[in-house]
């Protein structure tokens, strides 16, 4: 399976020797996504503007991409899909626009496992609007302690904004418990799906959330585009985020009215080529045998975790089991900084990431100042895992 | 065990940790973070007539950052603010281009292998920025 898949990624034609294990930061782009984006950008026009054929074709392709994303998410309608510049922009959009509906004393529940993208916007809203943040702690294995939902989600809670899967630990959140806790008090749920989408289509209807955010570059599409999905009724209640062309109903010298979603949230010229590339990427993903891929990824993850367990100096930052877990593995090496580990492995063409992974509250909660991360995608193989483990052994010798 | 970046001289500098600790009565002090990787340095300096008489630092960082801090602990005493600023410019130029260093700053040559890794330049520069900041205070 891996070889056939690799042939579909231009990366492997150019960098066959690279063991790319930084997929949680950016996945490689699929050939269909690249071709779709290049095709659009090679003979482009703006969307929603002009009646000439090129512009009509761009508008049609942009709309088709929205429909593909809607199918990928099992959304009720295309109007629930907002194109943004990425998950960070999507999360900021909710923090700003949903935040406009909150008042001082209202509560938003986050977890200690959030990426800064789903943490800092809420900190800023707290300063701006006087809302209260309540933080779900993590267990020693990095999993979010959903048992604390009962006492942290109160009648004043308006939103639970939480990661679907941690970008550090790989732990998948018990979304059903989160949604049940929110519904019990009439609160809404925002899921940060940035890590989850790389591992298969998402069913937002089954999840029961109100908002879902993700980035294209983490699911084999181009950089520079992402998605905010929101229930139609929810999006309709929200004021705009960015203002400009394309998001208005009418504008006079005195006032402006605003378009219906999704246009209300897509001010200015959207990332047309990237969105079309994303559409091609998720279209391709929907053709894949995901049950088989999940078994394959779990096999690689088990090999990686078993290999790491052999090193006495290594401390895993995250669950050691395979239950409710994606193949994202972070760890510390006693006495050695993660950037030094990454540097030495990088010299051996093993691509990793090191540092706080934009999750400083999580690392602090787990007693870590920084971690090295290996993250697997469907095109990785056993040779990648073995190169990583052999490289780590080498790095320990170089740096000790 | 070979590595392009982690050559023996850099490792020995980091291991030696010249100037580690903090001065009790500094004339200048600074604390800087590298937000990309979490490196942190606290640095204190004593001066006499504008010349550095002592420099001490606490560095919680990667090996490259610790090596740079150690080099400062070893070589900064006896230099003045202007010389440290010039040395920092020379280090930035070395990292940016790997051009040959002026003779006065040959001690920086140890960091030449880092020039090909832009994401690590900040690690080497952090202690120098901290020293410049501490020197700007008196």
């Amino acid at each position: 399976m891996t070889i056939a898949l690799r042939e579909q990624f231009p990366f492997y034609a150019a960098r066959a020797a690279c063991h790319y294990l930084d997929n949680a930061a950016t996945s490689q782009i699929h050939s269909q996504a690249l071709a779709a984006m290049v095709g659009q950008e090679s003979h482009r026009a703006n969307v929603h503007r002009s009646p000439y054929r090129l512009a009509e074709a761009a508008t049609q392709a942009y709309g088709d991409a929205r429909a593909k994303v809607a199918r990928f998410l099992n959304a009720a309608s295309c109007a629930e899909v907002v194109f943004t510049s990425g998950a960070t922009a999507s999360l900021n959009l909710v923090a700003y626009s949903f935040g406009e509906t909150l008042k001082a004393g209202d509560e938003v529940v986050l977890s200690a496992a959030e990426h800064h993208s789903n943490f800092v916007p809420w900190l800023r809203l707290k300063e701006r609007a006087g809302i209260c943040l309540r933080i779900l702690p993590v267990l020693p294995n990095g999993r979010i302690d959903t048992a604390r939902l009962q006492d942290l989600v109160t009648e004043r809670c308006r939103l639970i904004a939480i990661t679907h899967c941690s970008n550090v630990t790989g732990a998948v959140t018990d979304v059903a418990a989160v949604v049940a806790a929110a519904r019990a008090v009439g609160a809404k749920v925002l899921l940060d799906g940035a890590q989850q989408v790389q591992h298969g289509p998402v069913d937002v209807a089954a999840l029961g959330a109100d908002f879902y955010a993700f980035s294209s570059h983490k699911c084999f599409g181009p950089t520079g585009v992402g998605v905010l999905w929101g229930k139609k009724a929810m999006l309709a209640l929200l004021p705009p985020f960015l203002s400009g062309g394309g998001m208005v109903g009418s504008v006079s010298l005195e006032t402006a009215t605003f378009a219906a979603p999704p246009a209300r949230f897509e001010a200015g010229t959207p990332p047309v080529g990237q969105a079309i590339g994303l559409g091609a990427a998720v279209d391709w993903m929907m053709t894949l045998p995901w049950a088989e891929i999940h078994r394959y990824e779990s096999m690689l993850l088990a090999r990686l975790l078993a290999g790491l367990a052999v090193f006495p100096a290594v401390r895993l930052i995250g669950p050691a089991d395979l239950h409710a877990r994606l193949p994202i593995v972070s760890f510390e090496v006693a006495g050695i900084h993660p950037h030094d580990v990454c540097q030495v492995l990088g010299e051996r063409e093993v691509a990793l990431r090191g540092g706080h992974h934009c999750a400083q509250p999580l690392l602090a909660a787990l007693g870590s100042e920084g971690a090295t991360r290996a993250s697997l995608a469907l095109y990785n193989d056993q040779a990648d895992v073995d190169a990583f483990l052999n490289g780590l052994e080498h790095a320990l010798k170089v740096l000790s | 065990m070979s590595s392009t970046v982690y050559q023996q001289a850099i490792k020995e500098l980091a291991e030696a940790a010249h100037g580690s600790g903090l001065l009790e009565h500094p004339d200048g002090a600074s604390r800087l973070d590298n937000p990309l990787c979490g490196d942190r340095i606290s640095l204190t300096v004593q001066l006499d007539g504008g010349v550095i008489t002592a420099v001490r630092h606490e560095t919680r960082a990667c090996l490259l950052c610790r090596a740079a801090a150690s080099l400062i602990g070893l070589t900064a005493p006896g230099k003045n603010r202007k010389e440290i600023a010039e040395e920092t410019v020379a280090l930035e130029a070395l990292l940016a281009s790997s051009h040959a260093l002026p003779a006065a700053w040959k001690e920086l040559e140890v960091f030449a292998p880092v020039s090909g890794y832009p994401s690590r330049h900040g690690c080497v520069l952090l202690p120098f920025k901290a020293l410049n900041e501490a020197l700007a205070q008196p």
Side-chain angles (χ1 to χ4, degrees):
Chain A
M1 180 173 72
T2 311
I3 291 173
L5 279 175
R6 286 192 173 189
E7 289 172 350
Q8 300 176 47
F9 286 84
F11 170 80
Y12 283 104
R15 303 294 295 268
C18 183
H19 301 285
Y20 188 79
L21 300 174
D22 195 17
N23 294 288
T26 294
S27 64
Q28 295 303 325
I29 191 168
H30 188 265
S31 57
Q32 286 182 18
L34 182 61
M37 180 178 68
V38 170
Q40 167 61 27
E41 294 293 327
S42 300
H43 40 82
R44 66 187 184 185
N46 214 323
V47 292
H48 308 317
R49 298 289 195 278
S50 306
Y52 56 90
R53 284 183 184 169
L54 195 59
E56 293 288 18
T59 300
Q60 182 67 47
Y62 186 63
D64 289 348
R66 198 186 305 276
K68 289 170 183 175
V69 171
R71 284 198 295 276
F72 179 74
L73 295 173
N74 193 28
S77 90
C78 295
E80 296 185 334
V81 174
V82 179
F83 284 124
T84 66
S85 65
T88 296
S90 302
L91 295 164
N92 273 270
L93 192 166
V94 179
Y96 183 87
S97 295
F98 188 83
E100 289 279 288
T101 71
L102 301 182
K103 60 184 185 301
D106 283 348
E107 294 178 358
V108 171
V109 172
L110 311 173
S111 86
E114 299 312 305
H115 189 282
H116 293 168
S117 298
N118 195 34
F119 209 94
V120 180
W122 301 107
L123 286 176
R124 296 188 68 202
L125 181 65
K126 176 186 171 186
E127 291 168 7
R128 205 165 61 237
I131 65 160
C132 299
L133 298 181
R134 309 199 79 181
I135 311 298
L136 278 167
V138 291
L139 299 167
N141 67 3
R143 291 192 188 277
I144 295 168
D145 187 359
T146 49
R148 295 292 308 281
L149 283 163
Q150 201 168 11
D151 56 281
L152 287 172
V153 179
T154 73
E155 294 292 329
R156 305 197 74 165
C157 179
R158 298 291 173 265
L159 179 77
I160 303 178
I162 199 164
T163 187
H164 195 173
C165 170
S166 164
N167 69 309
V168 175
T169 66
V172 176
T173 303
D174 182 354
V175 173
V178 170
V179 170
R183 293 294 174 258
V185 296
K188 306 303 179 188
V189 175
L190 161 65
L191 293 177
D192 173 2
Q195 297 301 328
Q196 188 73 35
V197 287
Q198 188 179 107
H199 302 278
V202 172
D203 187 339
V204 290
L207 286 171
D210 299 280
F211 302 102
Y212 198 91
F214 73 92
S215 294
S216 160
H217 66 274
K218 286 185 168 65
C219 60
F220 316 112
T223 57
V225 67
V227 167
L228 174 67
W229 168 84
K231 282 182 178 170
K232 193 172 181 179
M234 278 306 309
L235 290 177
L237 290 174
L238 301 188
F241 176 35
L242 300 176
S243 302
M247 49 76 75
V248 295
S250 66
V251 181
S252 69
L253 289 176
E254 290 79 26
T255 190
T257 62
F258 303 112
R264 182 185 302 169
F265 304 106
E266 295 184 0
T269 295
V272 181
Q274 293 98 320
I276 290 168
L278 169 60
V282 298
D283 218 23
W284 168 73
M285 286 183 74
M286 291 184 71
T287 68
L288 298 177
W290 283 103
E292 183 184 345
I293 291 169
H294 290 156
R295 282 194 296 275
Y296 176 74
E297 288 182 343
S298 288
M299 180 272 292
L300 292 181
L301 172 61
R303 188 181 184 93
L304 196 155
L305 290 172
L308 271 183
V310 169
F311 295 96
V314 166
R315 178 171 81 101
L316 186 67
I317 307 291
D321 62 291
L322 301 179
H323 169 69
R325 191 195 201 297
L326 293 180
I328 300 167
V329 180
S330 296
F331 60 95
E332 286 183 323
V333 183
I336 300 178
H337 193 279
H339 272 200
D340 295 324
V341 174
C342 293
Q343 183 83 43
V344 175
L345 270 86
E347 290 174 3
R348 294 165 69 101
E349 290 292 338
V350 179
L352 305 173
R353 197 170 190 85
H356 52 58
H357 306 288
C358 298
Q360 286 177 307
L362 174 60
L363 288 183
L366 297 176
S368 173
E369 294 180 348
T372 304
R373 182 182 72 191
S375 48
L376 305 169
L378 45 69
Y379 40 59
N380 287 123
D381 60 13
Q382 291 190 15
D384 293 328
V385 174
D386 293 348
F388 160 69
L389 294 170
N390 292 334
L392 182 58
E393 186 176 7
H394 169 75
L396 297 190
K397 289 174 182 168
V398 167
L399 297 168
S400 295
Chain B
M1 285 297 149
S2 64
S3 164
T4 306
V5 169
Y6 299 99
Q7 296 177 0
Q8 197 58 32
I10 283 186
K11 292 168 65 174
E12 286 176 358
L13 260 180
E15 179 71 21
H18 297 294
S20 61
L22 292 176
L23 296 166
E24 281 192 25
H25 304 291
D27 296 309
S30 62
R31 192 180 89 171
L32 288 185
D33 292 284
N34 181 343
L36 296 178
C37 63
D39 285 352
R40 169 172 289 179
I41 181 168
S42 298
L43 186 143
T44 52
V45 64
Q46 276 180 348
L47 299 168
D48 184 2
V51 174
I52 296 171
T53 55
V55 58
R56 296 282 185 275
H57 59 88
E58 281 185 352
T59 306
R60 186 202 70 197
C62 68
L63 192 146
L64 298 182
C65 187
R66 287 187 283 118
S70 180
L71 182 71
I72 284 173
L74 183 66
T75 64
K79 294 173 182 170
N80 59 31
R81 184 186 305 173
K82 180 170 175 287
E83 288 169 319
I84 293 297
E86 289 171 356
E87 184 171 12
T88 305
V89 170
L91 178 58
E92 288 171 339
L94 172 76
L95 293 171
S97 64
S98 199
H99 284 169
L101 281 164
W105 309 121
K106 282 298 179 191
E107 66 210 31
L108 299 175
E109 194 74 46
V110 67
F111 296 113
V114 186
S115 68
Y117 300 93
S119 71
R120 305 303 304 278
H121 293 180
C123 306
V124 178
L125 288 167
L126 190 70
F128 284 85
K129 290 179 177 174
L131 178 56
N132 280 285
E133 188 170 306
L135 288 172
Q137 291 171 3

